Amino acid sequence: MTKTDPIDEFVEQQLASGRFASYQQLVRYAIGVLRNHEADLDQLTEQLRPGIEALQRGEPGVDLDFDQIRKDGRRRLNTPTSGS
């Protein structure tokens, strides 16, 4: 019995679903998602850089607004916020 690669299985499922017309379309979509993810990580790194550098210099940490962080996270995930 041959074990199916989980990635190959996922690709086959996506193609069978009809969401993508071809393997090439699926790959292009995946690359676009990866590029967006990388851009988000780069932006987050730049936002964190001043705080990291301050900590490396021995300065006090950065105050975090956890309510705003949650709101931003929910917005990015397109998840409705409760109580807002």
Side-chain angles (χ1 to χ4, degrees):
M1 183 171 160
T2 304
K3 187 174 181 181
T4 305
D5 182 338
I7 293 173
D8 290 339
E9 189 174 311
F10 180 76
V11 168
E12 289 175 19
Q13 290 171 351
Q14 292 299 307
L15 292 172
S17 75
R19 181 173 179 197
F20 301 97
S22 67
Y23 179 83
Q24 183 177 13
Q25 185 184 29
L26 174 85
V27 169
R28 286 181 185 273
Y29 176 80
I31 289 171
V33 170
L34 180 59
R35 281 183 178 159
N36 288 340
H37 179 72
E38 290 293 321
D40 288 346
L41 286 176
D42 289 345
Q43 182 181 13
L44 180 59
T45 299
E46 287 306 310
Q47 291 173 347
L48 291 173
R49 187 175 315 281
I52 292 169
E53 290 172 352
L55 288 172
Q56 289 172 337
R57 291 188 303 268
E59 297 172 5
V62 177
D63 290 331
L64 298 174
D65 182 348
F66 288 104
D67 288 333
Q68 187 61 45
I69 291 169
R70 277 192 288 277
K71 287 178 186 177
D72 290 346
R74 286 185 182 116
R75 178 184 47 79
R76 292 179 74 179
L77 293 172
N78 287 328
T79 304
T81 58
S82 59
S84 298

